[in-house]
Amino acid sequence: MSITNNDLVKLAFSAMQNSYSPYSHCKVGSALLSKNGKVYLGCNVENASYGVTNCAERTSFFKAVSEGEREFSKIAIVGGVEGKVKDLFMPCGVCRQVMAEFCSGDFEVLVASSQDDFKVFKLRDLLPHSFDEKNLSNGE
Ligand code: THU
């Protein structure tokens, strides 16, 4: 049975429970669906050296890529202070850049404001005119 958008959002909520966020108290969870049909959960993992923090979305991507996955269809994201989800918790610029490394503009980003309410964005709308491998080619 295939995973619905609602399933993916609910999985992101469950992933949020594992958030390690003693500094910001912002709990974030994500559920990344690969084209092979596997789901990779992620949460934010903070550090006393703040810049070392890893966002939930990158946790999902790095787990998946490290297990050999390269193609993805969508990710669900949820977050809020103390895990209280009120608004859309949009992915940061660094996470959008990581998405762009592996995903085309059609990649779907589901951002939830509750277990039953979420908005669907296309990566092309979240990171237009992105920097990518084409910029590293000398054209030969
Ligand atoms: N955070 C994420 O997990 N994903 C994002 O896209 C934005 C920010 C986390 C990092 C940090 O632990 C907390 O939210 C506050 O910035």
Side-chain angles (χ1 to χ4, degrees):
M1 225 179 62
S2 62
I3 294 186
T4 66
N5 283 353
N6 258 347
D7 294 336
L8 210 60
V9 165
K10 288 196 165 65
L11 288 166
F13 268 86
S14 71
M16 183 173 66
Q17 303 309 314
N18 290 330
S19 163
Y20 176 75
S21 41
Y23 305 106
S24 75
H25 302 282
C26 242
K27 289 181 186 261
V28 191
S30 56
L32 173 65
L33 180 64
S34 76
K35 288 201 175 162
N36 289 326
K38 276 187 73 178
V39 175
Y40 294 86
L41 301 183
C43 67
N44 55 331
V45 183
E46 298 190 344
N47 193 282
S49 176
Y50 294 173
V52 178
T53 292
N54 206 60
C55 291
E57 301 90 317
R58 278 177 289 141
T59 303
S60 283
F61 268 92
F62 296 159
K63 280 172 72 176
V65 171
S66 68
E67 293 190 24
E69 298 278 13
R70 293 292 185 272
E71 294 189 81
F72 303 97
S73 48
K74 54 185 83 169
I75 189 170
I77 306 166
V78 65
V81 177
E82 310 293 358
K84 291 190 185 71
V85 177
K86 292 185 191 138
D87 302 312
L88 301 184
F89 201 97
M90 297 301 293
C92 79
V94 173
C95 290
R96 294 178 198 203
Q97 183 69 27
V98 169
M99 291 174 196
E101 183 68 26
F102 296 101
C103 308
S104 67
D106 280 341
F107 180 71
E108 290 187 335
V109 181
L110 283 43
V111 189
S113 54
S114 78
Q115 298 249 1
D116 308 299
D117 203 15
F118 55 89
K119 279 203 168 128
V120 183
F121 298 89
K122 295 275 190 191
L123 182 57
R124 73 167 58 82
D125 299 318
L126 296 181
L127 191 65
H129 311 293
S130 65
F131 178 86
D132 60 30
E133 84 282 352
K134 289 191 293 301
N135 300 108
L136 300 175
S137 143
N138 62 10
E140 283 171 15

